[in-house]
């Protein structure tokens, strides 16, 4: 049999890209969101209800809830990322039936796409949230195979001994499966039965940090995320404010999950001035009328005065005060590209930083 006959018998590779990947890249939602919408019958392609695994190209008409999705090749390469210091009392959803404030209320409106939150924090958890217009970046940062570590400052009420810390690091079984901290370090602050710790998890499961501590019979009274992968939250970003990442910072973050750099979109002078004004405003602390305050019942009917959280910038970090994104060692950053879906090699993460 000739080579030509063998080539004719080989199956033709599928054309286009998977629907969930396309919609994630243009910022409609994360891959998980899109897959859920497909299962709910909310997405149609060329008037026909979409199915998982369906591939599309630029000639296909895609609608979500009956609304046509505009697709421009240049817009599909847009990658912006912002950091947000979430206050207590905000929820990680776009619309809340109860009318509570959401993490999207203060964010600037992107010209193309929309903000996708990278992970979530519950209503009583504060600290670092990341948002991007690039759904593929969001998907990789949240996917367990990329092992993005998340560090929290947590105040617990109760006795904590070495055996408890060892159990939490070895792993305990929660209602949704085994979980553990990859590292726990005692932090300054707290008094009496209140103690501060910095702990690291490699997943983003619902209320995982609280449930791990509570499995040992102690109560979490304060919880704040201070790091996501190479991105730190420091005192330069007040609570309730946001900051857009620079090109260099975004490139470091994208390299962590094997993505090539994408240039930030060029902005007209008027739009740039407006963004800079919003940026300056976002660096000021919240005013008295802006603050979000929620009343929560204290455990066992006892009122508790919140202790001051430990300073996140107490120890100097490489890269200077102005940068909140830390570069990994060169052998970690310069990794060969992987086929989509492959699990990256271990990178020795899990230690609290700073």
């Amino acid at each position: 049999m000739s080579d030509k006959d063998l080539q004719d018998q080989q199956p033709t590779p599928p054309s286009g890209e998977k629907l969930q990947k396309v919609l994630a890249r243009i910022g409609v939602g994360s891959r998980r969101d899109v897959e859920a919408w497909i299962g709910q019958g909310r997405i149609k392609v060329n008037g026909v209800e979409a199915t998982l695994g369906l591939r599309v190209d630029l000639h296909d008409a895609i609608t979500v809830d009956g609304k046509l999705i505009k697709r421009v090749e240049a817009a599909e390469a847009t990658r912006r990322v912002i950091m947000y210091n979430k206050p207590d009392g905000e929820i990680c959803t776009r619309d809340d039936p109860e009318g509570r404030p959401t993490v999207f209320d203060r964010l600037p409106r992107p010209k193309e796409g929309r903000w996708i939150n990278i992970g979530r924090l519950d209503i009583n958890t504060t600290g670092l949230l990341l948002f991007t217009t690039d759904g593929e970046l969001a998907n990789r940062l949240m996917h367990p195979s990329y092992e993005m570590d998340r560090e929290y400052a947590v105040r617990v009420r109760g006795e904590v001994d070495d055996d408890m810390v060892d159990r939490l690091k070895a792993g305990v079984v929660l209602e949704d499966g085994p979980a553990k901290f990859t590292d726990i370090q005692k932090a300054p602050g707290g008094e009496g039965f209140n103690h501060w710790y910095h702990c690291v998890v490699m997943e983003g499961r619902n209320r995982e940090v609280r449930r791990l501590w509570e499995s040992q019979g102690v109560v979490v009274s304060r919880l704040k995320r201070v790091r996501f992968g190479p991105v730190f939250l420091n005192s330069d970003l007040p609570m309730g404010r946001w900051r857009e990442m620079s090109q260099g910072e975004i490139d470091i973050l994208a390299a962590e999950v094997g993505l090539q750099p994408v240039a930030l979109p060029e902005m007209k002078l008027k739009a740039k001035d407006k963004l800079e004004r919003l940026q300056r405003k976002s660096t000021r602390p919240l005013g008295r009328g802006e603050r979000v305050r929620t009343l929560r019942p204290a455990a066992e009917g006892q009122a508790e005065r919140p202790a001051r959280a430990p300073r996140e910038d107490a120890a100097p970090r490489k890269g200077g005060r102005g940068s909140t994104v830390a570069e990994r060692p060169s052998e970690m950053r310069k990794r060969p590209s992987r086929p989509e879906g492959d699990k990256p090699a271990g990178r020795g993460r899990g230690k609290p930083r700073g």
Side-chain angles (χ1 to χ4, degrees):
M1 186 178 293
S2 66
D3 292 341
K4 185 177 184 302
D5 292 334
L6 289 173
Q7 291 176 1
D8 291 340
Q9 291 182 1
Q10 291 178 353
T12 304
S15 61
E17 288 185 287
K18 288 185 177 180
L19 176 61
Q20 59 264 39
K21 184 176 180 180
V22 170
L23 293 182
R25 189 173 62 248
I26 62 179
V28 174
S30 69
R31 284 199 201 182
R32 295 180 186 179
D33 292 337
V34 176
E35 288 171 356
W37 299 342
I38 292 174
Q40 296 164 5
R42 297 171 56 187
I43 301 180
K44 292 184 178 181
V45 177
N46 301 324
V48 180
E49 193 170 296
T51 57
L52 284 174
L54 180 66
R55 292 177 177 268
V56 297
D57 57 32
L58 280 171
H59 301 290
D60 292 312
I62 305 172
T63 59
V64 179
D65 295 332
K67 182 179 179 181
L68 181 66
I69 303 299
K70 296 181 181 179
R71 296 176 60 197
V72 181
E73 286 187 85
E76 295 193 14
T78 301
R79 180 183 295 159
R80 295 172 62 188
V81 182
I82 58 176
M83 302 169 54
Y84 179 61
N85 190 349
K86 176 189 174 299
D88 187 13
E90 291 184 353
I91 59 174
C92 292
T93 186
R94 293 182 185 277
D95 300 298
D96 179 50
E98 300 178 28
R100 293 171 296 183
T102 80
V103 294
F104 293 93
D105 292 344
R106 303 181 192 275
L107 303 187
R109 180 173 298 178
K111 184 177 179 181
E112 296 169 344
R114 64 177 184 170
W115 296 119
I116 302 169
N117 50 316
I118 300 171
R120 298 171 181 268
L121 296 175
D122 64 55
I123 189 170
N124 293 328
T125 301
T126 64
L128 177 62
L129 272 177
L130 298 178
F131 297 84
T132 181
T133 56
D134 184 345
E136 179 62 20
L137 176 63
N139 179 71
R140 294 196 182 194
L141 288 171
M142 289 186 288
H143 200 280
S145 65
Y146 287 92
E147 299 179 335
M148 298 302 293
D149 39 358
R150 299 141 169 93
E151 182 176 343
Y152 292 82
V154 54
R155 189 181 70 181
V156 298
R157 187 167 62 245
E159 287 289 347
V160 178
D161 55 25
D162 293 340
D163 289 340
M164 182 187 297
V165 171
D166 290 341
R167 287 195 298 270
L168 289 170
K169 291 167 68 174
V172 298
V173 178
L174 303 177
E175 58 268 26
D176 54 353
K180 67 177 182 179
F181 292 123
T182 55
D183 199 66
I184 303 173
Q185 298 290 337
K186 199 171 190 312
E191 55 185 13
F193 283 99
N194 294 302
H195 307 281
W196 279 97
Y197 291 87
H198 275 233
C199 49
V200 178
V201 292
M202 304 296 285
E203 298 178 285
R205 287 151 65 177
N206 185 39
R207 298 175 62 86
E208 183 177 12
V209 175
R210 293 182 186 274
R211 289 187 293 136
L212 274 167
W213 283 105
E214 289 167 359
S215 72
Q216 304 302 303
V218 295
V219 177
V220 173
S221 56
R222 291 276 295 278
L223 185 61
K224 181 175 186 176
R225 185 154 70 193
V226 295
R227 178 170 65 87
F228 190 104
V231 184
F232 294 88
L233 178 68
N234 61 25
S235 58
D236 293 338
L237 187 64
M239 186 171 288
R241 299 305 192 189
W242 58 268
R243 179 179 77 79
E244 182 154 6
M245 285 190 181
S246 67
Q247 180 73 67
E249 292 173 326
I250 296 174
D251 291 348
I252 292 172
L253 186 60
E256 284 286 307
V257 288
L259 292 177
Q260 296 298 316
V262 173
L264 285 170
E266 294 185 4
M267 302 180 69
K268 295 182 179 179
L269 183 59
K270 184 177 180 180
K272 188 175 181 180
D273 288 343
K274 180 180 179 181
L275 183 62
E276 288 178 351
R277 288 196 303 271
L278 290 172
Q279 189 77 71
R280 287 193 298 270
K281 180 181 178 181
S282 72
T283 60
R284 299 197 299 267
L286 287 176
R288 184 179 297 274
E290 295 181 280
R291 294 189 182 277
V292 178
R293 298 185 182 276
T294 56
L295 296 178
R296 293 170 291 169
E300 301 177 1
Q302 297 295 320
E304 179 190 4
R305 182 178 180 181
R308 187 184 181 108
R311 287 179 59 89
E312 296 137 18
D313 57 341
R317 292 190 292 264
K318 293 182 180 180
R321 178 180 175 83
S323 176
T324 55
V325 180
E327 292 194 59
R328 304 288 190 184
S330 58
E331 67 271 13
M332 294 182 180
R333 289 185 289 110
K334 296 180 180 179
R335 300 187 298 273
S337 59
R338 301 182 301 276
E340 183 179 347
D342 286 357
K343 182 177 178 179
R347 284 165 278 179
R349 299 190 186 169
K351 293 290 183 180
R353 296 164 178 256

